């Protein structure tokens, strides 16, 4: 059988150099690759580099294709089993979403029905801009697989989501895309395909002044593991994360928030959803009036914090007209775990409560022992790693919403 052939479109960004490593990995996996280098991409790496690594001619403009009968732009995509856009700049994503064809790269992308995998890399603000997020959502709707960028330090000196994932991780997504039966989108055929899942995770931070805050202890690990497990079952996952230092699981749309009120607003904006799993350890109170300047130690009277109650996101969602068909809450308890969870189920108006005993070292730890409390009864699971708890929970959910 012919080895898979990749058409790699290299956009104009500093991450273009990582495309060189990706070519090496593609070839190491026994595949062939041909490159299209955009004008912007050619400002960062040369056609010669790509030609040497791919051992194939490199195309940069529509006018390179002197002989349309020999290698036309249609032929370029037709010979490929997968088109990979890496790095996919904000500009390329915008043009792809709008169907603009003003260059060889964009013309190839418009004139094809070959599956496309886009690997964005850009400045954090460009990635988070509403226009880029809108373009990404539209591309995903159109059937393009858009990988979420990594979080971390960026070449521009800023920090946040926007980094190109490591070439090894991109390679895994290429292999997954090639393994999908043709015509199927990412996740299609999986039990939660087409289901929109909303997940909250991590703590919230409620500012006292610019340097101090009130928070619950929460690493976000269990919520992030649930997001990863839901995405692996094909769901369209929207993860609303409080301040945690965890990488975004593959295929998950992440919205970072700081406070309970921001989390409530992000949940509201992400509705409607088929399933909501609220794992976040939301702070019950915030300061009624956070100080604009750092509160100084005066040596005299201690500062008095006036508290205000935060919105209960779970209870609010239970009574919302857009209530998801399955609403799952979490309960961290230190005693009488199941009894408290049953009371909480009734009080909050959700369908299930996943209760865990946090009297041990669950917080920030790798394992969790949970009880699934529903109107039908209680199911207790033994102590398991958090990613296994996540997988079991999502499989149980997939069984009931199918
Ligand atoms: O009331 P308690 O914090 O124990 O309830 C825990 C459950 O309620 C979790 O699912 C948590 O995410 C959710 N919650 C919420 N908004 C709050 C407090 C808790 O969504 N303000």
């Amino acid at each position: 059988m012919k080895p898979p052939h990749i058409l790699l479109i290299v956009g104009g960004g500093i991450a273009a150099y990582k495309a060189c490593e990706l070519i090496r990995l593609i070839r190491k996996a026994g595949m062939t690759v041909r490159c299209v280098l955009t004008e912007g991409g050619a400002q960062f790496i040369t056609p010669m580099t790509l030609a040497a690594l791919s051992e194939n001619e490199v195309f940069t403009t529509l006018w390179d294709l002197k002989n349309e009968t020999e290698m036309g732009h249609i032929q370029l995509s037709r010979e490929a089993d997968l088109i990979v856009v890496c790095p996919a700049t904000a500009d390329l994503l915008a043009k792809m979403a709008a169907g603009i064809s003003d260059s060889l790269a964009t013309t190839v992308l418009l004139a094809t029905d070959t599956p496309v995998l886009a690997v964005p890399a850009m400045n954090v603000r460009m990635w988070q801009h509403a226009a880029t997020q809108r373009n990404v959502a539209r591309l995903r709707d159109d059937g393009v697989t858009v990988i979420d960028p990594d979080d971390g330090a960026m070449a521009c000196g800023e920090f946040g989501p926007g980094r190109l994932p490591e070439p090894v991780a991109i390679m895994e997504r290429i292999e997954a895309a090639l393994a999908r039966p043709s015509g199927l989108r990412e996740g299609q055929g999986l039990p939660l395909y087409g289901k929109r899942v909303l997940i909250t995770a991590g703590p919230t931070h409620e500012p006292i002044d610019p340097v101090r805050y009130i928070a619950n202890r929460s690493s976000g690990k269990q919520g992030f593991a649930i997001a990863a497990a839901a995405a692996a079952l094909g769901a369209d996952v929207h993860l609303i994360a409080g301040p945690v230092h965890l990488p975004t699981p593959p295929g998950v749309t992440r919205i970072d928030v700081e406070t309970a009120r921001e989390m409530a607003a992000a949940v509201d904006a992400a509705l409607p959803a088929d399933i909501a799993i609220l794992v976040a350890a939301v702070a019950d109170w915030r300061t009624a009036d956070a100080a604009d300047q750092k509160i100084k130690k005066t040596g005299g009277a201690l500062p008095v914090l006036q508290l205000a109650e935060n919105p209960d996101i779970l209870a609010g969602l239970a009574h919302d007209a857009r209530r998801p068909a399955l609403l799952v809450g979490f309960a961290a308890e230190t005693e009488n775990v199941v009894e408290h969870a049953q009371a909480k189920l009734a009080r909050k108006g959700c369908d299930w409560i996943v209760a865990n005993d946090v009297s041990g070292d669950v917080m920030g730890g790798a394992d969790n022992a949970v009880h699934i409390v529903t109107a039908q009864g209680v199911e207790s699971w033994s102590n398991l790693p958090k990613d296994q708890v996540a997988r079991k929970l999502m499989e149980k959910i997939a069984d009931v919403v199918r």
Side-chain angles (χ1 to χ4, degrees):
M1 216 173 72
K2 233 171 107 250
H5 179 68
I6 309 292
L7 179 67
L8 179 64
I9 296 177
V10 181
I14 182 62
Y17 78 92
K18 287 197 192 167
C20 301
E21 174 67 4
L22 184 61
I23 296 174
R24 227 180 47 74
L25 295 179
I26 291 172
R27 300 206 53 208
K28 204 167 136 201
M31 305 176 193
T32 57
V33 52
R34 189 191 286 284
C35 299
V36 167
L37 182 62
T38 66
E39 213 177 302
Q43 299 292 324
F44 292 91
I45 52 173
T46 70
M48 184 76 87
T49 317
L50 298 180
L53 290 168
S54 65
E55 288 191 69
N56 249 326
E57 191 179 352
V58 174
F59 297 97
T60 54
T61 75
L62 266 171
W63 322 116
D64 278 346
L65 309 172
K66 293 182 197 77
N67 185 349
E68 277 280 327
T69 51
E70 190 185 302
M71 180 49 78
H73 63 272
I74 305 288
Q75 182 60 23
L76 267 182
S77 61
R78 195 174 287 157
E79 67 170 11
D81 299 294
L82 180 70
I83 300 178
V84 179
V85 188
C86 174
T89 58
D91 178 67
L92 257 177
L93 292 172
K95 286 179 173 157
M96 287 166 73
I100 292 172
S101 60
D102 61 348
S103 65
L104 176 60
T106 52
T107 305
V108 165
L109 286 161
L110 192 64
T112 188
D113 54 6
T114 303
V116 177
L117 177 76
V119 196
M122 66 195 71
N123 164 275
V124 50
R125 271 168 249 283
M126 291 173 84
W127 171 252
Q128 287 173 334
H129 196 284
T132 304
Q133 290 303 309
R134 200 163 53 235
N135 291 331
V136 168
R138 176 177 290 187
L139 287 168
R140 286 182 173 147
D141 261 3
D142 289 347
V144 173
T145 303
V146 184
I147 303 185
D148 278 320
D150 275 359
D151 250 8
M154 313 189 61
C156 54
E158 293 195 61
F159 196 88
R163 278 168 60 89
L164 193 86
E166 288 309 315
V168 177
I170 301 171
M171 198 57 218
E172 281 172 14
R173 300 297 290 269
I174 290 177
E175 283 173 334
L178 287 166
R180 274 198 293 281
S182 67
L184 287 196
R185 293 176 177 195
E186 187 171 59
Q188 207 166 352
L190 293 170
L192 288 177
Y193 179 73
K195 300 281 182 212
R196 189 174 164 103
V197 179
L198 194 67
I199 297 170
T200 65
T204 63
H205 285 181
E206 312 296 331
I208 295 171
D209 65 20
V211 297
R212 305 181 179 95
Y213 58 78
I214 300 172
N216 282 16
R217 287 216 286 161
S218 167
S219 66
K221 281 182 192 164
Q222 185 64 81
F224 273 59
I226 291 170
L233 293 184
D236 171 22
V237 182
H238 296 254
L239 171 63
I240 296 158
V244 291
H245 293 287
L246 291 173
T248 309
V252 167
T253 303
R254 172 173 180 173
I255 303 111
D256 284 314
V257 296
E258 191 88 20
T259 67
R261 285 189 294 176
E262 285 170 14
M263 187 171 275
V267 165
D268 189 72
L271 289 172
D274 301 288
I275 301 160
I277 310 166
L278 304 195
V279 195
V282 183
D284 291 312
W285 308 283
R286 64 177 182 276
T287 51
D289 215 352
D292 293 335
Q293 305 296 332
K294 183 178 174 188
I295 301 170
K296 304 302 286 177
K297 280 187 278 186
T298 57
L302 294 174
V304 176
L305 297 180
Q306 185 70 41
L307 298 181
E309 199 162 335
N310 269 331
D312 189 317
I313 306 169
L314 180 59
L317 205 47
H319 299 103
D320 195 293
R322 298 160 297 169
R323 183 194 198 279
L326 184 68
L327 183 55
V328 181
F330 265 66
E333 302 289 351
T334 54
E335 56 179 358
N336 303 330
V337 178
V338 170
E339 291 75 8
H340 282 140
Q342 278 162 332
K344 192 162 293 182
L345 185 73
R347 198 169 65 243
K348 301 260 185 179
C350 57
D351 302 305
W352 300 0
I353 286 279
V354 180
N356 51 350
D357 185 342
V358 292
S359 55
D361 57 359
V362 166
M363 303 270 197
D367 295 346
N368 205 357
V370 304
H371 312 270
I372 314 290
V373 181
T374 71
Q376 282 72 46
V378 181
E379 197 177 304
S380 298
W381 297 349
S382 57
N383 199 40
L384 291 169
K386 285 181 177 170
D387 56 348
Q388 278 186 41
V389 171
R391 230 171 301 147
K392 256 182 96 144
L393 179 67
M394 285 320 303
E395 279 163 9
K396 188 174 168 66
I397 288 175
D399 273 349
V400 304
V401 299
R402 217 183 272 259

